[in-house]
Amino acid sequence: MIPAPFEYVRPTTVEEAVQAVAEGGEDVKIMAGGQSLIPVMRLRLAAPETIVDLGRVAEMRGVRDEGDVLVIGAMTTHAEVITDPLIAQHARLIAEATETVADRQTRRRGTFGGALAHADPAGDLAAVALALDAEMVIAGPGGRRTVPASEFFVDYLTTSLDEGEILVEIRVPKLSGDWGVRYEKFNRVAQAWSIVAVAAAVRREDGHIAEARIGLTNMGPTPLRASATEAALAGAPATADAVAAAARSAAEGTSPSSDLNAQADYREHLVQVLTRRAVTAAAGL
């Protein structure tokens, strides 16, 4: 239960962090909140030569308003996300999903960017970022670049972050007041990973659903959009029957796994049920 020896670097700027990663040797790990990294180090499932701790990089923390988007620093903790007034006003779906993450202690240490960079398909925040068309701002030796959430999650526990790069901030388009949102999560016990979860944002107009964005958690090696359901809802009457009919397509294009928690066909059933519930609530029905 004791980690292997490692070098420890604690930069105070993004530039220092990028340099520290570049100089960290063949096996360097970046630590945000440490809620995923520290447990595997204690079990010696990971034994990095160098840890670059981002805890003192102040510019990577906090939420700011930039016109049509909110910018959320990657080192902003889950607890800070939940209580931030800008997120409550313009990106409430993020706060809803974050409230379901792990337990209170983990939310005090774990970070928004760390959870996204970890890219666990059972994590709650990646599907939300995907549903909200978020963009990831990445810093590396070659400067900064921006990657849409739809291209950021590549495979199981794998993102488009290249060697030496750091996720710095997340840009989230604001949702206006005519959008409703809901995060529906199914897990066996409190504080557990999602067996399946659904993030929904719905905009109503003249008694119809003008637009729906639906992100799926743990329905494949990466978060997914329920594209078939989104298409079925566009222009559909805002009724419970129309939502139920569209939700039957939620599993199309997914590839859920079978494991100790659930078989693939059970997850396919769950995603239909949770999509119906999430869209119904988001649409105010």
Side-chain angles (χ1 to χ4, degrees):
M1 298 299 288
I2 299 175
F6 58 88
E7 297 294 325
Y8 179 76
V9 185
R10 202 172 196 187
T12 58
T13 68
V14 171
E15 290 72 22
E16 288 179 1
V18 170
Q19 183 177 354
V21 172
E23 297 173 351
E26 293 185 0
D27 190 4
V28 57
K29 292 291 185 183
I30 299 167
M31 184 167 73
Q35 301 305 290
S36 298
L37 178 60
I38 292 175
V40 297
M41 287 179 62
R42 292 183 64 185
L43 294 171
R44 298 210 176 190
L45 297 175
E49 295 177 11
T50 304
I51 296 293
V52 178
D53 183 354
L54 303 179
R56 289 187 177 172
V57 184
E59 63 191 287
M60 291 178 60
R61 197 161 194 159
V63 183
R64 66 181 187 272
D65 189 326
E66 287 194 359
D68 293 334
V69 300
L70 292 183
V71 182
I72 306 173
M75 287 297 293
T76 306
T77 67
H78 300 313
E80 291 166 340
V81 165
I82 291 169
T83 58
D84 188 87
L86 288 173
I87 290 176
Q89 182 178 359
H90 300 295
R92 185 163 47 86
L93 183 57
I94 294 176
E96 269 196 30
T98 304
E99 286 177 341
T100 75
V101 171
D103 52 31
R104 188 181 299 269
Q105 294 90 332
T106 298
R107 292 193 294 270
R108 294 287 293 182
R109 295 289 304 173
T111 65
F112 187 56
L116 295 176
H118 186 52
D120 192 311
D124 296 289
L125 303 180
V128 175
L130 192 62
L132 295 180
D133 293 328
E135 294 181 328
M136 316 298 177
V137 179
I138 296 167
R144 296 197 180 198
R145 62 189 180 101
T146 301
V147 178
S150 58
E151 299 175 12
F152 183 74
F153 304 102
V154 175
D155 204 344
Y156 180 75
L157 299 179
T158 305
T159 70
S160 60
L161 285 165
D162 290 332
E163 185 175 346
E165 290 188 324
I166 296 170
L167 176 60
V168 175
E169 60 192 25
I170 300 91
R171 299 177 63 85
V172 182
K174 293 179 180 178
L175 293 184
S176 57
D178 54 352
W179 284 86
V181 300
R182 183 63 168 234
Y183 189 70
E184 285 283 341
K185 175 175 178 175
F186 184 87
N187 50 3
R188 295 182 62 188
V189 295
Q191 306 167 0
W193 295 95
S194 295
I195 294 177
V196 173
V198 176
V202 177
R203 180 169 62 87
R204 288 180 56 174
E205 192 175 272
D206 298 327
H208 289 73
I209 294 175
E211 185 179 358
R213 303 178 190 171
I214 304 167
L216 307 179
T217 296
N218 216 7
M219 288 299 293
T222 65
L224 300 167
R225 289 281 286 264
S227 301
T229 297
E230 291 178 351
L233 288 170
T239 64
D241 288 343
V243 170
R248 296 189 190 104
S249 304
E252 289 186 15
T254 66
S255 54
S257 63
S258 294
D259 54 31
L260 292 175
N261 291 312
Q263 295 298 305
D265 59 347
Y266 182 52
R267 285 192 162 95
E268 291 173 351
H269 166 72
L270 277 177
V271 78
Q272 296 176 51
V273 174
L274 297 180
T275 297
R276 175 176 54 79
R277 291 178 183 175
V279 172
T280 298
L285 301 177

